[in-house]
């Protein structure tokens, strides 16, 4: 299966800008479906970015993050061609991991 | 085999009881130990904080200290969000030594939306998309140099993003 994570990491000088888009329903547990039944919570709880074995960014998320979440941040110390490892875990214990080359 | 099993579980029970007693003694120190424990646990998912129903409770659970408004915290959010399911919000700050950034929506069923950990070398700028149930105050918290700063803005929502 194709990865749920799409990442774009671009380096400019010492700064690497990272944008990530993940496919996930991010159900908060407060929304009802057409039949009036509550859709149970299903959302990503933690998303981590690692560069060179070091954690550069961690997101702790609740159900208030939009469906198919997007996040953008920037960090120093990486160069073009370096690898960035991205992984998430949701409240049901599902996970996905991918690596992206910094451009 | 059975006899060994019984012997083993009896020993195990004793050990567990011992552990329980030690844990109980340890609990006596909690009122003093709690705040540093929360601050040090930045890497762990803050399960409790995500269940809180007010700004004040989130701040207390997540940071254990009070936030002071700062004009060095810049929040970029729309005045009016047509679709509450996707509200783009970003934050940047000129404060030094930022360790974490959190997003709060006062009127949402669960107030805390996200908390981002910012290790040294990562810039204190974050953009994300959040859900808003209705028109609400949005607050960003920035933890920098051991202190907590905040900025707030009201975002009007024409269509809620939390169903109902």
């Amino acid at each position: 299966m194709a990865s749920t994570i799409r990442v774009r990491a671009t380096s400019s000088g010492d700064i690497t800008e990272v944008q990530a888009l993940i496919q996930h329903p991010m159900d908060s547990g407060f929304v009802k479906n057409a039949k009036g039944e509550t859709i149970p919570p299903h959302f990503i709880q933690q998303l981590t970015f690692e560069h060179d074995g070091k954690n550069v960014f961690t997101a702790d998320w609740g159900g208030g993050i939009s469906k198919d979440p997007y996040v953008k941040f920037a960090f120093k110390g990486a160069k073009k061609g370096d690898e960035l490892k991205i992984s998430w875990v949701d409240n049901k214990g599902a996970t996905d991991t991918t690596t992206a080359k910094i451009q | 085999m059975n006899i060994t099993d019984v012997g083993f579980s009896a020993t195990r029970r004793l050990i567990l009881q011992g552990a329980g007693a030690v844990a109980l003694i340890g609990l006596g120190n909690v009122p003093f130990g709690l705040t540093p424990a929360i601050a040090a646990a930045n890497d762990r998912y803050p399960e409790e904080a995500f269940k809180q129903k007010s700004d004040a409770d989130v701040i207390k659970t997540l940071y254990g200290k009070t936030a002071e408004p700062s004009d060095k915290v810049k929040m970029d959010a729309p005045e009016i969000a047509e679709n509450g399911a996707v509200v783009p919000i970003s934050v940047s700050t000129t404060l030094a030594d930022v360790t974490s950034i959190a997003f709060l929506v006062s009127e949402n069923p669960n107030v805390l939306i996200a908390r981002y950990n910012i290790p040294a070398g990562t810039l204190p700028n974050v953009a994300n998309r959040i859900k808003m149930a209705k028109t609400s105050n949005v607050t960003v918290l920035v933890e920098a140099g051991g202190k907590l700063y905040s900025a707030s803005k009201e975002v009007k929502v024409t269509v809620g993003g939390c169903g109902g």
Side-chain angles (χ1 to χ4, degrees):
Chain A
M1 202 186 101
S3 174
T4 59
I5 309 171
R6 282 171 56 201
V7 187
R8 196 187 163 91
T10 47
S11 152
S12 151
D14 190 33
I15 293 172
T16 302
E17 190 180 82
V18 183
Q19 285 175 285
L21 194 61
I22 301 161
Q23 276 180 0
H24 200 281
M26 295 303 281
D27 290 317
S28 64
F30 295 103
V31 181
K32 292 190 172 72
N33 65 12
K35 290 182 198 158
E37 299 154 349
T38 302
I39 303 167
H42 185 204
F43 54 87
I44 293 173
Q45 289 189 317
Q46 218 163 34
L47 168 70
T48 53
F49 295 80
E50 275 175 47
H51 168 252
D52 201 14
K54 196 178 137 249
N55 189 324
V56 291
F57 191 72
T58 306
D60 293 321
W61 281 345
I65 289 286
S66 301
K67 178 180 192 261
D68 297 338
Y70 164 86
V71 68
K72 178 175 143 183
F73 72 99
F75 69 101
K76 292 180 187 173
K79 56 183 189 302
K80 281 188 210 305
D82 283 3
E83 277 198 340
L84 193 65
K85 185 183 167 202
I86 303 102
S87 38
W88 60 256
V89 55
D90 71 18
N91 65 321
K92 294 182 177 178
T95 63
D96 198 7
T97 303
T98 195
T99 53
K101 267 213 162 58
I102 296 171
Q103 294 173 332
Chain B
M1 188 63 199
N2 270 338
I3 294 161
T4 339
D5 267 0
V6 168
F8 173 72
S9 64
T11 323
R12 191 165 158 260
R13 203 164 291 140
L14 268 176
I15 292 167
L16 285 176
Q17 274 171 356
V22 170
L24 276 177
I25 294 162
L27 279 178
N29 296 324
V30 160
F32 296 106
L34 198 59
T35 319
I38 291 168
N42 258 3
D43 289 345
R44 243 188 37 229
Y45 183 70
E47 187 102 41
E48 275 308 306
F50 276 104
K51 291 179 189 157
Q52 302 303 316
K53 307 290 181 194
S54 76
D55 286 23
D57 285 344
V58 168
I59 295 170
K60 204 171 107 188
T61 313
L62 201 56
Y63 293 108
K65 55 192 158 205
T66 51
E68 63 173 89
S70 167
D71 56 8
K72 287 181 176 164
V73 179
K74 295 258 181 284
M75 180 183 4
D76 193 7
E79 296 282 335
I80 296 172
E82 279 178 18
N83 181 4
V86 184
V87 185
I89 295 191
S90 63
V91 61
S92 63
T93 177
T94 50
L95 291 162
D97 302 324
V98 172
T99 45
S100 76
I101 294 177
F103 290 79
L104 279 63
V105 176
S106 309
E107 300 294 331
N108 269 14
N110 288 337
V111 170
L112 182 60
I113 303 294
R115 194 267 306 265
Y116 298 97
N117 293 318
I118 315 285
T122 297
L123 306 181
N125 305 342
V126 181
N128 61 179
R129 294 174 188 159
I130 68 172
K131 283 186 261 192
M132 291 182 67
K134 56 184 169 191
T135 298
S136 169
N137 241 11
V138 177
T139 302
V140 286
L141 299 171
V142 174
E143 188 186 27
K147 284 193 174 151
L148 199 57
Y149 303 91
S150 69
S152 294
K153 182 178 175 178
E154 192 190 54
V155 177
K156 289 194 168 59
V157 175
T158 40
V159 181
C162 289

